[in-house]
Amino acid sequence: MRRPLGQHFLFDVNILKKIIDCSAIIADDTVVEIGPGSGSLTRLLAERAKKVIAIEIDRRLLRRLKENFSTMKNVEAIAGDALKFPYETINGRFKVVANIPYYITTPLLFRLLEFREKISSMTLLLQKEVAQRVIASPGCKDYGVLSITLQLYTKPTLKFFVPKGAFSPPPEVDSAVVHFEVSPTPLYKIKDEAFFIGIVKMAFSQRRKTIMNSLRSFKRIKDALLEAGIDYRSRPEELSIKDFIRLADGLCE
C-alpha cells in the first residue's frame, strides 16, 4: 500500500523496534508521530509512552488508525499537515518519532526547529542522502545550510541504515535513522541567530565561490574575515560553525 503523498511504509518489526530503542522513550513521555500510515510504529510507541499523538494528513489512513487504536486510550490520531500543525498547542515537552515522507523532509526539519523549546528529542527515519547532510562536517561535500542549522540547535547522531527492501513499496533509495538531542537555545554563543542563518544561507547559495566573493555585498567583508581568522580564499564548506559565528558576529557589529 502506498500513500498518494509518497509515503513508504516500514514493515520490518525488528527495525521498528530498533527505532523505538534509539528514541529512548520512557513511560512519562508524550510522543508525536508524523505520518503514522498503517500504525505499525504507533503501536510500539504506545506500548512505551504515556501518550502518542499521531498526525496523519491522509483521511483514509486516519479513519483506519482511529479504528485500529479505538481501545488504546493513550493514542490520539489527528488529521493534520505536519508542515502547518500547531505544535505549540501540545501540553508540555514532547519527543518526535517518525518515518518522514521524503518529499517534505527538509522543510519539516526546519519547521520542527521552530518548536525546539517544546521538543526534547527527535528520532527520524530519513532518506540516507539527507541523513548524511544532517551529520556532515566541514570539508565534506554534504556539508551545508541544513548541517549547520541543525547542528546549531541539536546534536544529531546517525544510528543505523535501513535498506530499501524493508519498505512497502520500496523507495528508490536507502534510508537512515538519525537521533537528535534538541536544545531550546543555540549550542554556541551567538549575537544574532537570524543574522547568522542569513549569512550561512548567502554563503552557500554560491558555494563554488570563495567566502569573500559569496559575501561581497558586505562592504567590510575582507576586514571581517581577517578579524575572524578566516582565509578569504576559503570555500563556504570549509568553514566550521564557529568560523561562521565569528564572521557573522563581526559583520553585524
Side-chain angles (χ1 to χ4, degrees), residues 97-113:
V97 183
N99 169 14
I100 303 293
Y102 291 160
Y103 79 105
I104 64 166
T105 299
T106 299
L108 181 58
L109 286 170
F110 285 127
R111 171 69 173 164
L112 291 172
L113 276 185

Side-chain angles (χ1 to χ4, degrees), residues 206-245:
Q206 304 181 77
R207 65 183 299 151
R208 292 187 177 182
K209 292 187 176 182
T210 64
I211 188 65
M212 183 169 170
N213 284 336
S214 62
L215 298 177
R216 65 189 306 168
S217 60
F218 291 93
K219 293 181 179 179
R220 58 182 305 274
I221 181 61
K222 189 171 185 179
D223 290 338
L225 286 166
L226 183 64
E227 292 166 6
I230 300 169
D231 187 335
Y232 69 90
R233 296 165 297 186
S234 299
R235 306 286 180 185
E237 66 267 21
E238 296 177 301
L239 274 61
S240 68
I241 294 179
K242 290 183 178 179
D243 289 333
F244 273 111
I245 289 173

Side-chain angles (χ1 to χ4, degrees), residues 2-253:
R2 184 171 183 171
R3 293 177 57 173
L5 296 175
Q7 178 75 313
H8 300 270
F9 297 107
L10 180 63
F11 61 83
D12 188 308
V13 176
N14 290 327
I15 294 176
L16 289 169
K17 288 180 177 179
K18 284 181 69 176
I19 292 173
I20 298 291
D21 290 340
C22 290
S23 69
I25 298 298
I26 60 174
D28 288 335
D29 284 332
T30 294
V31 180
V32 170
E33 183 187 7
I34 295 166
S38 59
S40 299
L41 182 61
T42 314
R43 189 168 299 279
L44 293 175
L45 288 169
E47 291 173 358
R48 293 205 191 182
K50 179 180 180 181
K51 183 174 184 179
V52 178
I53 300 171
I55 304 169
E56 178 55 63
I57 196 170
D58 187 312
R59 296 282 179 172
R60 178 176 55 86
L61 289 173
L62 182 67
R63 286 195 298 271
R64 187 172 298 175
L65 281 167
K66 286 180 176 293
E67 291 172 3
N68 291 343
F69 291 97
S70 60
T71 60
M72 298 188 75
K73 303 303 181 183
N74 65 333
V75 176
E76 182 181 3
I78 300 176
D81 181 344
L83 292 174
K84 299 176 182 178
F85 189 83
Y87 297 97
E88 70 277 6
T89 61
I90 298 173
N91 290 329
R93 301 190 78 198
F94 57 89
K95 295 178 178 179
V96 179
V97 183
N99 169 14
I100 303 293
Y102 291 160
Y103 79 105
I104 64 166
T105 299
T106 299
L108 181 58
L109 286 170
F110 285 127
R111 171 69 173 164
L112 291 172
L113 276 185
E114 295 176 21
F115 299 92
R116 54 189 176 272
E117 293 185 0
K118 297 277 294 178
I119 300 172
S120 57
S121 73
M122 304 186 294
T123 306
L124 307 176
L125 182 58
L126 309 171
Q127 187 174 343
K128 182 179 177 181
E129 175 186 300
V130 176
Q132 290 172 326
R133 287 167 55 201
V134 164
I135 65 166
S137 54
C140 174
K141 66 179 178 62
D142 295 319
Y143 182 71
V145 176
L146 186 65
S147 322
I148 292 172
T149 306
L150 284 166
Q151 291 174 32
L152 181 65
Y153 299 108
T154 78
K155 293 181 179 179
T157 305
L158 195 157
K159 291 296 188 177
F160 60 93
F161 293 112
V162 180
K164 61 190 75 173
F167 297 86
S168 177
E172 296 180 357
V173 295
D174 288 333
S175 303
V177 172
V178 179
H179 179 75
F180 303 78
E181 289 297 331
V182 182
S183 172
T185 57
L187 295 171
Y188 303 83
K189 187 177 180 181
I190 196 167
K191 286 184 180 179
D192 187 324
E193 294 172 52
F195 184 77
F196 167 81
I197 297 297
I199 290 292
V200 171
K201 288 181 177 178
M202 187 182 297
F204 281 97
S205 69
Q206 304 181 77
R207 65 183 299 151
R208 292 187 177 182
K209 292 187 176 182
T210 64
I211 188 65
M212 183 169 170
N213 284 336
S214 62
L215 298 177
R216 65 189 306 168
S217 60
F218 291 93
K219 293 181 179 179
R220 58 182 305 274
I221 181 61
K222 189 171 185 179
D223 290 338
L225 286 166
L226 183 64
E227 292 166 6
I230 300 169
D231 187 335
Y232 69 90
R233 296 165 297 186
S234 299
R235 306 286 180 185
E237 66 267 21
E238 296 177 301
L239 274 61
S240 68
I241 294 179
K242 290 183 178 179
D243 289 333
F244 273 111
I245 289 173
R246 291 198 307 275
L247 180 57
D249 284 355
L251 287 171
C252 76
E253 289 178 347

